[in-house]
Amino acid sequence: MAGMGDPSEGGFFGHYGGRYVGEPLVRACQEIETAFRDAWADQGFRDNHFRLLTDYAGRPSPLTECVNLGRDLGLRLLLKREDLNHTGSHKINNVIGQALLAKRMGKTHLIAETGAGQHGVATATAAALFDMGCTVYMGEVDTKRQALNVFRMELLGATVIPVLSGSRTLKDAVNEAMRAWVSELEDSHYCLGSVMGPHPFPWMVRTFQEILGEEANAQCLTLLGGMPDVAVACVGGGSNAAGLFSGFVDYPEVRLVGVEPAGGAAVGRGVPAVVHGMKAYFMQDEAGQVLEAESISAGLDYPGVGPEHSHLAETDRAEYQPVTDGMVIEAFQLLSRKEGIIPALESAHAIAWVVDNAADLAGQTVIVNLSGRGDKDVRQVQDLLGS
Ligand SMILES: *Cc1c(COP(=O)(O)O)cnc(C)c1O
């Protein structure tokens, strides 16, 4: 599969990407790139990765047709069920890949940032499995919003460090994780959670997430005898969307839609900037300060989007659409009631866009990546609904 295409030698997708970090991290990133190229060319490594994804994480995830909601909306609605993976989201696909790579590089410790806690939980899980140390940086605000995930990470043996700088959310957790990594380069691998950061992370993370797109492509062929009309995924940094899009990007007739929170629309409201080691779209104020993303889902509270999405947007291969928190809460309840599937608030963004655009999509076949399950969000929604 040609898929999304490899970045240039400097790590650029069109104008976006690169490796804008200080000297020690340039060297660390080069080492990771070399190790990743070597590992990915090694069938033994790939077999091992695939075996863990099946025997441990539960792949392949099913493709579920939503008969009830599809009928109500007047379209054919298919869900790629990443919510059924071990640890409850697509994050495990990437984490197992990076943990295996870190082990191969002789590292003994994993560092991670987390927003809602899903990536932190997945990283703590892999660290337990591979007998590695694990430190997770999490904005203090998020540690309160997602207290249960903090306890989960601790149960798994990780140390969770609340980040007190800036807005005390995901953006600040990334800064803090990078800072910690610089001081522990010898033993530690920074297990980045999305298709962002300095080269090779955006490319490597997408490559580890391609499995979900490949499966979705094959499952659509079996079920539909061809491709869907539209492929939809929510976008924080963009890893679940990149995984899904990779399965359909070679089919020009498939419309690719990334859904952003209206309060964190990095593509819709952003401009190119260099932040967190990459050039990509970020929301900024007039003085060039990066704005805080604001949405009900901590997992989408990132003011930027990865370089490959920036490129897909600029070249019009994919489109990026906003939905409001109110639409998301409605979609969260609608999918629960109509299909018996409680989605993560992040994933509910993708559902919300389909619901809102049902009239335009009438008669079409739409695949939505259900990136995660909603257990972690039930309490928050209960509070919001005041019940
Ligand atoms: C982390 C997360 C996201 C957002 O991250 P991407 O890199 O944009 O995929 C979306 N959905 C769920 C369930 C998540 O845990």
Side-chain angles (χ1 to χ4, degrees):
M1 180 185 307
M4 307 271 267
D6 291 344
S8 72
E9 204 167 301
F12 283 89
F13 300 91
H15 301 114
Y16 302 100
R19 184 181 279 159
Y20 297 91
V21 287
E23 186 50 39
L25 287 192
V26 167
R27 237 175 309 120
C29 288
Q30 279 167 345
E31 278 168 27
I32 293 170
E33 183 187 347
T34 304
F36 172 63
R37 286 184 189 280
D38 183 64
W40 208 237
D42 174 356
Q43 196 56 45
F45 179 89
R46 290 177 72 153
D47 289 348
N48 214 2
H49 183 232
F50 189 76
R51 183 183 59 76
L52 285 163
L53 288 179
T54 52
D55 300 353
Y56 187 72
R59 302 209 71 84
S61 69
L63 187 70
T64 300
E65 174 146 20
C66 295
V67 178
N68 304 328
L69 187 53
R71 186 189 51 229
D72 289 1
L73 297 175
L75 48 84
R76 212 166 163 190
L77 179 63
L78 311 175
L79 299 184
K80 180 60 176 157
R81 300 292 304 281
E82 294 299 297
D83 60 315
L84 296 179
N85 294 336
H86 182 45
T87 71
S89 79
H90 66 291
K91 297 269 171 32
I92 194 80
N93 305 326
N94 165 44
V95 162
I96 286 181
Q98 286 200 52
L100 270 178
L101 186 70
K103 215 44 185 181
R104 186 180 167 104
M105 294 174 74
K107 308 290 181 186
T108 55
H109 197 95
L110 297 177
I111 295 171
E113 84 293 344
T114 199
Q118 291 296 99
H119 177 59
V121 168
T123 305
T125 298
L129 179 66
F130 294 122
D131 192 23
M132 300 172 89
C134 184
T135 310
V136 179
Y137 292 86
M138 188 171 189
E140 193 218 21
V141 170
D142 293 334
T143 61
K144 298 204 167 118
R145 282 200 282 194
Q146 298 284 349
L148 198 58
N149 267 343
V150 174
F151 183 60
R152 230 173 238 137
M153 288 182 261
E154 289 169 351
L155 268 179
L156 292 161
T159 303
V160 179
I161 301 195
V163 174
L164 301 173
S165 55
S167 59
R168 308 180 179 200
T169 58
L170 182 55
K171 169 170 71 74
D172 314 292
V174 175
N175 284 333
E176 217 41 55
M178 283 192 160
R179 207 165 300 155
W181 186 34
V182 176
S183 64
E184 302 160 29
L185 285 175
E186 196 59 39
D187 301 325
S188 295
H189 173 74
Y190 180 18
C191 184
L192 234 167
S194 192
V195 287
M196 46 159 294
H199 180 55
F201 284 104
W203 170 55
M204 177 170 71
V205 175
R206 183 256 287 167
T207 303
F208 287 138
Q209 291 292 0
E210 280 177 13
I211 181 96
L212 83 89
E214 282 167 24
E215 285 175 11
N217 177 304
Q219 289 165 323
C220 283
L221 265 181
T222 303
L223 183 73
L224 311 169
M227 292 297 113
D229 298 298
V230 192
V232 188
C234 65
V235 175
S239 69
N240 88 87
L244 184 74
F245 291 179
S246 73
F248 301 102
V249 72
D250 289 340
Y251 303 78
E253 69 276 18
V254 181
R255 184 179 170 196
L256 306 178
V257 180
V259 184
E260 304 184 296
V267 180
R269 290 167 52 197
V271 292
V274 174
V275 180
H276 290 153
M278 62 174 174
K279 185 172 181 196
Y281 281 112
F282 279 87
M283 297 200 313
Q284 289 179 299
D285 65 16
E286 271 144 40
Q289 283 286 103
V290 174
L291 290 171
E292 302 302 339
E294 273 174 31
S295 92
I296 43 171
S297 62
L300 298 183
D301 269 2
Y302 188 65
V305 67
E308 194 166 21
H309 287 293
S310 303
H311 178 62
L312 288 170
E314 192 172 88
T315 55
D316 287 328
R317 178 60 190 97
E319 60 195 279
Y320 296 82
Q321 306 282 0
V323 292
T324 63
D325 287 354
M327 291 158 69
V328 171
I329 294 284
E330 268 182 41
F332 181 90
Q333 297 172 85
L334 192 63
L335 192 70
S336 303
R337 232 169 18 230
K338 291 282 174 184
E339 299 292 340
I341 299 171
I342 302 176
L345 277 172
E346 291 86 350
S347 323
H349 284 68
I351 302 290
W353 181 82
V354 175
V355 172
D356 193 47
N357 290 272
D360 290 338
L361 300 170
Q364 298 194 8
T365 301
V366 180
I367 181 170
V368 170
N369 195 35
L370 203 75
S371 54
R373 66 177 85 125
D375 307 31
K376 69 182 173 56
D377 300 316
V378 166
R379 186 65 201 272
Q380 189 189 346
V381 173
Q382 184 186 29
D383 288 346
L384 283 168
L385 295 175
S387 59

